Amino acid sequence: MMKKFFAAILSIVLITGVSACGEKKDEGPDYADDEAMSVIAEGFNKRSALIDKLKGQGKDTSESKYFQQIIQTEIDNDKPLKARQFKDSKLQEQVIAYLNSLDDQLAVVKKYSSTSAESAEARSKAYDKRSTILKTFVDKYGLKVDSKYQDTLDDLVRNGNSVQEKNEADQTINGLIASAKFDKTEAEYGGYYTYSAVIENTSKINFSNVSLLLALYDTDGVKVEEAYANTSSWAAGEKVRFEAGSDVNAAQVKVSVSGYEVAK
């Protein structure tokens, strides 16, 4: 009886052990963080290679169908990333934004002919968006492409840097004038008004050729006229008096930036 008892116990132990060995260990989600940049690089390389191939065949890459083919090649390579999980949510945001920028480029070349005025603006916007994200991939996530396409990537990164600097300057100057209050004074002879405000450049950016647009509204909230207040230079830390004159006795003044340059 004892032998039978120990034999039964041994059988249970063996069965349990075999069952445990057969169980698959849960390794957790298959995150894409470590693969993302290599996938992006592969798509970039494929797109660049196709451009070279089409040029080598004498194809006119200004034609819409060739641009579509070129962009679609990168989209097809990268789109599996859209369904993947990431540990780094910021990286995931940038990857999704990049995939969306490719979709935007494809939509533009499908919608507009390459010679239309709308096409130039829309393509430039899509190009700027893609190049800005590629700059982030290079700077923060170490994106590397084939050496023969490095010059192409470098050009895109330089453009992305310019776009980034422009966006930062736009935010800065718009922030500087956001709280500006223009006072109104009437000329002694009457019927003419000066609108002025002293604004300090509290940023670290030196601006030049700054033009502010003053929209003048009457008591009914109707815009009656637009006037411009300008300065040739507005250095960091400098206070400037912006002035504009009009014969409109405005009840309200709304200010926006008409144009500016960043002084070098």
Side-chain angles (χ1 to χ4, degrees), residues 2 9 13 33 49 74 88 92 103 119 134 138 159 177 212 230 242 252 255:
M2 290 298 293
I9 293 295
V13 170
D33 299 57
E74 188 173 12
D88 184 342
Q92 185 174 23
D103 290 338
S119 173
L134 282 171
V138 170
N159 182 73
I177 70 159
L212 304 184
N230 308 307
F242 289 90
Q252 183 182 15
V255 189

Side-chain angles (χ1 to χ4, degrees), residues 30-33 35 39 79-86 92:
D30 180 21
Y31 291 117
D33 299 57
E35 305 168 44
V39 173
K79 64 183 178 183
L81 288 173
K82 199 167 256 187
R84 297 288 301 278
Q85 288 182 281
F86 288 76
Q92 185 174 23

Side-chain angles (χ1 to χ4, degrees), residues 15-169:
I15 291 170
T16 304
V18 170
S19 176
C21 291
E23 290 179 1
K24 185 177 179 181
K25 186 179 179 181
D26 183 10
E27 297 178 353
D30 180 21
Y31 291 117
D33 299 57
D34 293 340
E35 305 168 44
M37 288 304 100
S38 60
V39 173
I40 297 294
E42 183 181 21
F44 188 97
N45 292 335
K46 286 181 178 179
R47 175 174 176 159
S48 302
L50 183 57
I51 291 172
D52 288 346
K53 180 181 177 181
L54 294 177
K55 285 181 179 177
Q57 294 175 352
K59 301 295 187 183
D60 182 0
T61 53
S62 66
E63 295 180 22
S64 175
K65 64 180 180 179
Y66 294 116
F67 273 120
Q68 290 182 41
Q69 184 181 353
I70 289 163
I71 298 166
Q72 190 65 56
T73 295
E74 188 173 12
I75 289 174
D76 290 344
N77 184 84
D78 295 357
K79 64 183 178 183
L81 288 173
K82 199 167 256 187
R84 297 288 301 278
Q85 288 182 281
F86 288 76
K87 280 186 178 180
D88 184 342
S89 61
K90 294 295 183 182
L91 173 57
Q92 185 174 23
E93 285 177 15
Q94 290 296 322
V95 169
I96 297 301
Y98 187 72
L99 297 177
N100 290 340
S101 77
L102 297 179
D103 290 338
D104 291 345
Q105 283 193 318
L106 186 61
V108 168
V109 297
K110 283 182 176 180
K111 183 175 181 179
Y112 302 107
S113 71
S114 59
T115 57
S116 69
E118 297 91 344
S119 173
E121 183 178 353
R123 288 180 189 227
S124 178
K125 185 177 180 180
Y127 177 81
D128 287 349
K129 181 178 178 182
R130 177 176 177 241
S131 63
T132 301
I133 301 171
L134 282 171
K135 172 179 162 43
T136 300
F137 285 159
V138 170
D139 292 348
K140 291 189 176 181
Y141 302 104
L143 174 66
K144 295 183 183 300
V145 300
D146 285 354
S147 57
K148 57 185 172 181
Y149 305 128
Q150 188 61 48
D151 288 346
T152 302
L153 180 60
D154 289 344
D155 287 342
L156 283 158
V157 170
R158 275 191 290 271
N159 182 73
N161 187 61
S162 297
V163 172
Q164 199 171 70
E165 289 178 350
K166 177 68 165 57
N167 290 340
E168 289 173 359

